[in-house]
Amino acid sequence: MRGADLDDLRLDEPTVDDARAVHRICSDPRLWRHLPSGRFADPERSLSLVHDWIAGWERDGLSAWIVRDSATGRVLGYAGCWVKDDCLWNLGYRLAVDVHGRGIATRVGALAVDRARGLRPDLPVVAILLAHNRASARVAARLGLTERHRGPDAGNPDPMAVRLVLSDRDLDDAQFRAATA
């Protein structure tokens, strides 16, 4: 396993047994106030996401970790970097509402960014988010990512939604397309 411990957190590679806990988090409407249409309604979507992470770990040596409270084992969410379209590391995190504001995304994100750069330094680290999700943008900025794009969010049912792309370097055309598709 390529897990890790960060003081009060345990980071585990996901298994299919984690899909139920991932679904509890991803189906919580309070986590989707920035993108209500993104809320997971079907548990199969969570299982598919976990399968994607497992494949990412096998293929790339890094993907999302399941973030657990080290004392209780409770799943707090997920965070990590995974390869998107074989051209960038996508930094992502989603944590249970009751643990927001504790710096978990920043701490786990820093470890993920460090590992991504060690595994494939040729790929940029990118965070793709909505402009009104200021907390997520602050995390990405703390991790050294800089805004590279601000524009319409393709496919979002809210025509006023603005997508931000932050990265650790300039993006080439393929990377830009992957980040904004």
Side-chain angles (χ1 to χ4, degrees):
M1 288 294 270
R2 293 162 283 206
D5 289 319
L6 292 174
D7 300 320
D8 57 334
L9 304 175
R10 190 175 85 225
L11 309 179
D12 295 324
E13 285 186 50
T15 70
V16 293
D17 293 337
D18 295 314
R20 183 171 294 149
V22 168
H23 187 69
R24 274 194 302 275
I25 292 164
C26 289
S27 65
D28 183 341
R30 297 172 297 171
L31 290 175
W32 294 97
R33 62 187 175 84
H34 302 293
L35 181 62
S37 64
R39 182 174 165 260
F40 288 29
D42 182 359
E44 287 299 313
R45 184 171 175 199
S46 299
L47 180 60
S48 177
L49 186 62
V50 168
H51 279 294
D52 289 347
W53 294 333
I54 291 169
W57 278 101
E58 291 171 1
R59 182 186 59 246
D60 304 313
L62 182 64
S63 190
W65 282 291
I66 299 297
V67 180
R68 299 180 198 279
D69 180 284
S70 62
T72 66
R74 174 184 164 222
V75 173
L76 306 177
Y78 66 85
C81 286
W82 47 90
V83 174
K84 179 176 168 79
D85 295 341
D86 199 37
C87 68
L88 59 85
W89 286 107
N90 186 25
L91 171 67
Y93 29 82
R94 187 161 307 279
L95 300 163
V97 171
D98 66 314
V99 299
H100 285 188
R102 291 178 31 192
I104 294 171
T106 302
R107 290 166 46 209
V108 178
L111 180 62
V113 168
D114 185 57
R115 289 201 180 174
R117 287 177 175 152
L119 287 166
R120 293 207 43 202
D122 56 308
L123 299 184
V125 176
V126 176
I128 304 162
L129 49 105
L130 291 171
H132 59 278
N133 189 346
R134 290 184 181 96
S136 188
R138 282 192 302 271
V139 169
R142 280 187 208 112
L143 296 173
L145 307 186
T146 303
E147 186 177 317
R148 307 294 176 170
H149 171 75
R150 176 183 293 260
D153 189 34
N156 192 318
D158 176 0
M160 301 305 292
V162 175
R163 176 176 292 198
L164 294 183
V165 175
L166 296 92
S167 69
D168 64 349
R169 66 191 83 163
D170 290 332
L171 304 177
D172 66 25
D173 290 341
Q175 293 159 343
F176 181 80
R177 280 191 305 275
T180 57

